[in-house]
Amino acid sequence: MKKKAPTYFTGVEIETILEDSISVRAIELMGPNLAFAANNGKYGMYDPAKKVWKTSTQKFDSIIPEFRAVASTNSDFFMISVGNPALLYKTGDSGSMELVYKEENEKVFYDAMSFWNDSEGIAMGDPTDNCLSIIVTRDAGKTWIKIACDKLPTSAQGEAAFAASNSNIAIQGNKTWILSGGMKSRIFYSPDKAKTWEVYETPIIQGAATTGGYSLDFYDENIGFIIGGDYTKPTDNQSNKALTKDGGRTWELVAVGEEPGYKSSVRYVPGKNAKELVAVGFTGISYSKDGGNKWKLISEEGFFTIRFLNDSIAYAAGKNRIAKLKFVK
């Protein structure tokens, strides 16, 4: 029987499903539904079967939070704000959002959040001391505890992270990878759900406040990809894409001096054996069919973040909109 030849993406159809005067850097699939949280305190949920949005606004006293990180379990939705104070909200029993964690510090800035399972989750942010800010829940998000710096690798001067797309954290099983950026761009790795940590170097461009890895994704426990660059120089493409095949211990630069330049979010296409990737940024949508070695620009429409529903449909969000992407073969 003749083996079926693989079919690859040749383009993408973009359907805007929400338009608003907001900046959306965090979206999350919750079963068939899509949740988001953004600036101006705005958050909401989309039911694709009914094509209906339910949106609301979250305030804290006189503060209107800006949300750039979201996560979910089977029963709850979570969102955490950037800036001081950090405000982490969980779906409440009363039907409104419930504040479950608050942190006050002039340096506080949380960048990403994710869950290992329905009970245990993690959020990461910029250092307020001499280590990355990492908070963990072990009780389904009811309480969150910040890990002390003596339990974490020390951060370098000017090492932080970018709240560009809620993709500084990657999880496979109990294993966790966190991507830093700025003056130093490294991988913080935990094999045991944030109980112990190691740190690995990357060859990604670094050394300035705007440089480094902006987005991380792992296909499995071994194969992962970083994309980033310098958003102030979006066409620079020298050292902004890297691949690991050994669980993040070592990284190899790919597509050096080739497109794409700066991107803020990268995702493996599900079920494609780590061969196909899509990266988005304000400069457009790029696609690779060979594990990240060669890329093709398939749309000039800009987005900040992307999440796949299946192997041909994704949701993407950016300035003033959220869209459904249908990839054409």
Side-chain angles (χ1 to χ4, degrees):
M1 196 169 147
K2 197 173 180 183
K3 199 173 180 182
K4 201 175 174 185
T7 54
Y8 299 112
F9 298 163
T10 57
V12 59
E13 296 172 358
I14 299 170
E15 176 193 356
T16 298
I17 57 174
L18 178 71
E19 283 187 282
D20 200 346
S21 49
I22 51 175
S23 173
V24 188
R25 294 182 180 272
I27 54 176
E28 173 81 357
L29 288 160
M30 294 185 68
N33 299 331
L34 180 74
F36 83 94
N39 63 338
N40 299 337
K42 198 87 177 261
Y43 67 98
M45 180 86 73
Y46 179 64
D47 181 341
K50 297 177 182 176
K51 295 191 174 181
V52 170
W53 281 98
K54 287 184 180 177
T55 62
S56 190
T57 301
Q58 184 66 53
K59 295 180 181 179
F60 179 79
D61 294 335
S62 62
I63 297 168
I64 301 173
E66 177 179 355
F67 298 104
R68 294 198 193 180
V70 299
S72 70
T73 62
N74 278 336
S75 57
D76 287 302
F77 172 67
F78 299 83
M79 57 190 189
I80 189 168
S81 66
V82 295
N84 183 24
L87 304 166
L88 198 167
Y89 288 91
K90 167 188 177 295
T91 315
D93 297 331
S94 64
S96 59
M97 298 298 280
E98 175 188 347
L99 183 66
V100 290
Y101 180 80
K102 179 185 171 191
E103 184 179 340
E104 293 182 271
N105 188 299
E106 61 181 14
K107 296 180 181 177
V108 74
F109 201 100
Y110 279 90
D111 304 291
M113 181 164 45
S114 192
F115 274 76
W116 294 284
N117 52 52
D118 284 345
S119 297
E120 297 170 291
I122 182 173
M124 67 79 58
D126 296 353
T128 57
D129 199 350
N130 65 347
C131 67
L132 288 179
S133 293
I134 297 178
I135 59 172
V136 172
T137 182
R138 309 281 184 196
D139 61 2
K142 296 181 187 73
T143 60
W144 295 75
I145 304 294
K146 190 168 187 179
I147 299 176
C149 279
D150 60 9
K151 305 283 192 216
L152 291 167
T154 301
S155 289
Q157 187 71 32
E159 182 176 23
F162 300 109
S165 60
N166 192 38
S167 54
N168 312 77
I169 302 171
I171 285 174
Q172 291 285 338
N174 295 341
K175 297 181 177 181
T176 310
W177 298 264
I178 289 177
L179 173 65
S180 68
M183 298 299 290
K184 196 81 174 163
S185 191
R186 300 187 292 175
I187 293 293
F188 293 76
Y189 168 70
S190 172
D192 50 15
K193 292 184 288 189
K195 293 180 179 75
T196 62
W197 292 89
E198 303 166 40
V199 63
Y200 306 131
E201 300 292 325
T202 80
I204 289 284
I205 184 172
Q206 50 201 282
T210 53
T211 60
Y214 278 71
S215 181
L216 169 74
D217 194 26
F218 268 76
Y219 186 81
D220 55 27
E221 291 189 350
N222 295 309
I223 301 173
F225 202 86
I226 294 170
I227 204 158
D230 183 342
Y231 79 87
T232 67
K233 302 172 184 175
T235 59
D236 283 8
N237 54 24
Q238 281 303 312
S239 302
N240 70 317
K241 302 170 286 288
L243 172 70
T244 183
K245 295 180 179 178
D246 60 5
R249 286 168 179 79
T250 62
W251 295 83
E252 175 191 353
L253 290 172
V254 294
V256 179
E258 297 180 19
E259 294 305 310
Y262 166 79
K263 296 291 180 189
S264 56
S265 187
V266 66
R267 277 290 179 268
Y268 280 101
V269 181
K272 298 298 181 180
N273 297 315
K275 294 296 183 190
E276 297 181 47
L277 295 123
V278 173
V280 303
F282 62 79
T283 53
I285 304 170
S286 293
Y287 166 67
S288 174
K289 64 182 182 182
D290 63 0
N293 291 298
K294 296 283 184 184
W295 293 78
K296 180 184 178 184
L297 184 72
I298 58 173
S299 173
E300 292 185 352
E301 293 203 34
F303 294 97
F304 298 145
T305 188
I306 183 171
R307 295 293 183 274
F308 274 91
L309 179 65
N310 55 40
D311 64 3
S312 59
I313 295 172
Y315 291 102
K319 187 178 180 182
N320 301 331
R321 68 170 174 163
I322 299 174
K324 183 179 180 180
L325 309 186
K326 185 178 180 183
F327 290 92
V328 179
K329 295 180 180 180

